Amino acid sequence: MGVCALGGTNMDRFDLEQDARVSDQLKNYYDGEKRTIRILLLGAGECGKSTIIKQMKILHKGGFTQEEKTEQIGVIRANTVHAMQQLITGCNELQFAFDDKEQEWTKEVESIHETNSLSESQMSAIENLWKESKAIRRAVALFLTSEPTRNPHQASIESSMNMAH
């Protein structure tokens, strides 16, 4: 038959110490979990779920690390180039004229296919169009003042039709 001992052996002390360590780890884990708030964000693509997470990080975690900031430079650059290319396309569709100098800049911007390494002339073209182009300012103003569901072409079509009658 077996012998049953109640304390005093080396094995029992080891078990008690290990039990205490595990209990402490579990207590720390549960204490951390009590302070954790979990949020399930549901929504269609491009509806702002990531933006909410980034805002929470800025507000409650002290912002982004330098590495995270550096990683975003490429995204910001690509978004800037794409937005300016879209503005140029919109100006052309709306027949907002560019002067000769602005046409040189638009050609420079439209030639950008790789945004990881922009030349000085490409960056200057974007900056100059944003700061100096009347057509770009007009397109932005139209965007900011137009009704979201209304096509800007529709207004010119309607006014043309009214003039014909």
Side-chain angles (χ1 to χ4, degrees):
M1 304 249 173
V3 177
C4 181
L6 293 175
T9 68
N10 285 339
M11 188 59 125
D12 288 334
R13 268 183 251 147
F14 175 77
D15 289 342
L16 289 174
E17 289 171 5
Q18 189 173 5
D19 181 61
R21 280 194 303 272
V22 170
S23 293
D24 285 344
Q25 288 174 344
L26 285 172
K27 182 181 179 308
N28 290 338
Y29 173 78
Y30 288 125
D31 288 346
E33 284 296 305
K34 286 179 189 174
R35 291 187 302 257
T36 300
I37 298 172
R38 299 194 188 282
I39 300 172
L40 175 63
L41 297 175
L42 300 174
E46 301 296 321
C47 73
K49 298 179 297 290
S50 298
T51 303
I52 289 173
I53 299 301
K54 290 173 188 171
Q55 290 294 325
M56 297 293 282
K57 186 169 186 172
I58 290 168
L59 293 172
H60 300 288
K61 294 271 188 183
F64 299 104
T65 65
Q66 190 59 42
E67 183 180 328
E68 289 170 323
K69 290 176 187 177
T70 303
E71 289 173 3
Q72 293 303 309
I73 290 172
V75 174
I76 293 167
R77 183 179 291 131
N79 287 345
T80 302
V81 169
H82 181 70
M84 185 55 74
Q85 289 171 336
Q86 290 297 101
L87 280 168
I88 292 167
T89 299
C91 288
N92 290 332
E93 287 177 5
L94 294 169
Q95 298 176 350
F96 294 169
F98 291 105
D99 66 26
D100 292 340
K101 180 174 56 170
E102 292 171 347
Q103 285 180 8
E104 290 177 29
W105 296 332
T106 62
K107 287 177 185 167
E108 186 79 35
V109 173
E110 289 173 325
S111 73
I112 300 172
H113 299 291
E114 180 58 48
T115 60
N116 289 333
S117 57
L118 297 176
S119 69
E120 279 295 320
S121 64
Q122 290 170 329
M123 289 187 287
S124 293
I126 292 169
E127 183 177 2
N128 291 335
L129 281 169
W130 183 253
K131 288 181 176 179
E132 299 181 27
S133 173
K134 292 177 184 170
I136 295 292
R137 276 195 234 125
R138 189 173 168 202
V140 170
L142 179 66
F143 170 75
L144 294 174
T145 59
S146 66
E147 298 173 31
T149 58
R150 188 177 174 102
N151 182 339
H153 292 290
Q154 189 65 33
S156 62
I157 293 168
E158 289 172 2
S159 67
S160 298
M161 292 175 70
N162 289 336
M163 287 183 200
H165 292 284

